[in-house]
Amino acid sequence: MERVDVIIPVYKPERGFLTMIEKLRAQTVPINRIILMNTEQKYLDRLLYGTTLERENHNNITVKHLSKREFDHGRTRNHGVKLSDADVFLMMTQDAMPADEYLVERLLESMRGEKIAAAYARQLPGEDSSEAERYTRQFNYPEESCVKTKADLPKLGVKTFFCSNVCAAYRRDVFDELGGFVNRAIFNEDMLFAAKAVEAGYGIAYAAQAKVYHSHNYTYRQQFRRNFDLGVSQADHPEVFAAYPSESEGIRLVKSTVAHLKGKRMWNKIPDVIIQSGFKYMGYLLGKRYRRLPGRLVTAFSSNKEYWR
């Protein structure tokens, strides 16, 4: 059986993070090591103070502390991989909650029998999710599993490269062969790796039976800033995104969400979706054109201030 490590970038974790660690330790496939790439030591120390994890001296948990200035979506994850000697490593975010004890098992199953570089899990909405967010999760993470390869590019376009480090497993040998994540990334380090893998002849598996709870009810400002960073990442990597633009997929999601709300007679929710979509699109367009903007606006619009320093 392959050895599996879990790598999690951490910043200001809350109590739910301890539950996440417990659920990872209860998986049917035992976790070899949990590697925490923690930004600002004081926040993690505060959470762990007096807990079982602190008394155990972290047991199979390895912690690497970083400053805010040192963190980068790509480089930090690459550093975490270097701390691992496992055959497969699982990238997760601190707010991804395993839905059951079969998460790792199902991801590993989806990587067998084919030339698979990575497999990502289905993201389910949390209890506090809005109806629009619930539908968005269903739209992006359907019930059917699939494997995406180069042959799917004419049909799926940029979605062929979709892979999410909210919860995704990677084969270490393929990861090393392809050079890992880009070292400097404001966003989309997972999709950029997936694009390299697909172009090299590997497949990206979507494992619908591997499930985590993960969703957000972003404010308009948060959506704007998130999509600004998304636009920046696409502008910085035209070798991937110029040939397969994502605008049409975003429009399809908006139309589909509005139709869903109409079908449920939730008329009062539709204006919010339209306004939110406007903020997303504005942020995305400005991000794609960030080189034309004054530096102070770029920093103000971005959700990742440290990236620009």
Side-chain angles (χ1 to χ4, degrees):
M1 180 181 290
E2 301 102 327
R3 284 189 305 165
V4 180
D5 285 346
V6 181
I7 301 168
I8 311 171
V10 179
Y11 179 57
K12 292 185 178 180
E14 298 180 351
R15 298 294 299 180
F17 180 67
L18 299 177
T19 304
M20 175 196 185
I21 298 298
E22 290 174 7
K23 286 183 173 290
L24 286 174
R25 286 178 156 182
Q27 292 292 301
T28 55
V29 174
I31 303 296
N32 178 52
R33 273 199 301 160
I34 299 173
I35 299 169
L36 306 182
M37 302 301 293
N38 178 65
T39 301
E40 302 296 342
Q41 181 174 352
K42 61 183 178 182
Y43 299 114
L44 185 62
D45 286 350
R46 189 179 302 161
L47 176 68
L48 296 182
Y49 181 75
T51 66
T52 303
L53 283 181
E54 185 191 46
R55 291 193 295 272
E56 289 177 351
N57 196 27
H58 303 320
N59 200 358
N60 68 332
I61 297 179
T62 298
V63 182
K64 173 65 178 176
H65 294 295
L66 313 165
S67 68
K68 283 189 73 174
R69 186 157 291 192
E70 289 176 298
F71 175 83
D72 182 274
H73 282 275
R75 183 175 60 250
T76 298
R77 287 177 167 88
N78 282 335
H79 190 174
V81 175
K82 289 178 181 177
L83 297 176
S84 167
D85 59 359
D87 309 292
V88 174
F89 61 86
L90 179 59
M91 284 291 168
M92 294 187 73
T93 56
Q94 67 187 52
D95 56 352
M97 186 67 68
D100 54 39
E101 67 271 32
Y102 302 105
L103 172 65
V104 178
E105 181 180 334
R106 300 293 185 245
L107 285 168
L108 291 179
E109 285 175 355
S110 72
M111 300 175 79
R112 295 195 179 104
E114 301 210 29
K115 197 179 177 185
I116 306 297
Y120 65 99
R122 184 181 182 192
Q123 295 182 30
L124 303 174
E127 291 182 1
D128 62 343
S129 296
S130 66
E131 185 63 28
E133 176 67 5
R134 288 177 178 277
Y135 182 76
T136 297
R137 293 291 135 183
Q138 179 64 35
F139 183 92
N140 288 326
Y141 302 93
E143 296 178 4
E144 301 79 26
S145 298
C146 67
V147 175
K148 299 173 292 183
T149 67
K150 202 169 185 178
D152 294 303
L153 282 168
K155 177 184 176 183
L156 297 179
V158 74
K159 287 202 80 172
T160 308
F161 306 140
F162 185 75
C163 181
S164 176
N165 273 345
V166 165
C167 184
Y170 295 83
R171 290 192 183 283
R172 177 62 184 269
D173 56 349
V174 178
F175 186 83
D176 289 345
E177 173 196 331
L178 298 177
F181 300 120
V182 294
N183 261 319
R184 181 165 165 78
I186 193 171
F187 207 72
N188 274 338
E189 79 291 336
D190 37 23
M191 284 187 69
L192 292 170
F193 176 82
K196 282 195 297 185
V198 168
E199 292 294 345
Y202 291 98
I204 302 298
Y206 166 55
Q209 299 309 309
K211 295 174 283 191
V212 293
Y213 288 101
H214 179 263
S215 55
H216 294 285
N217 293 317
Y218 288 123
T219 65
Y220 298 147
R221 177 180 291 182
Q222 288 171 329
Q223 283 288 13
F224 175 91
R225 288 178 170 169
R226 178 179 172 82
N227 278 58
F228 180 85
D229 291 349
L230 173 64
V232 169
S233 74
Q234 294 198 10
D236 283 347
H237 294 279
E239 74 280 5
V240 173
F241 297 106
Y244 306 103
S246 60
E247 287 88 341
S248 59
E249 189 65 18
I251 293 170
R252 190 167 76 90
L253 172 59
V254 175
K255 289 181 176 179
S256 188
T257 304
V258 170
H260 171 77
L261 294 174
K262 284 181 178 178
K264 289 208 158 192
R265 297 187 176 276
M266 293 182 169
W267 310 101
N268 61 322
K269 305 291 185 184
I270 294 175
D272 179 67
V273 170
I274 293 172
I275 295 169
Q276 191 174 76
S277 299
F279 275 87
K280 285 183 181 180
Y281 192 56
M282 282 191 296
Y284 171 75
L285 284 182
L286 287 168
K288 289 196 77 171
R289 295 160 175 78
Y290 80 93
R291 293 185 181 91
R292 305 179 194 175
L293 301 176
R296 59 184 177 79
L297 283 184
V298 170
T299 305
F301 290 163
S302 176
S303 61
N304 189 349
K305 312 299 185 189
E306 297 296 329
Y307 180 82
W308 305 99
R309 292 171 184 165

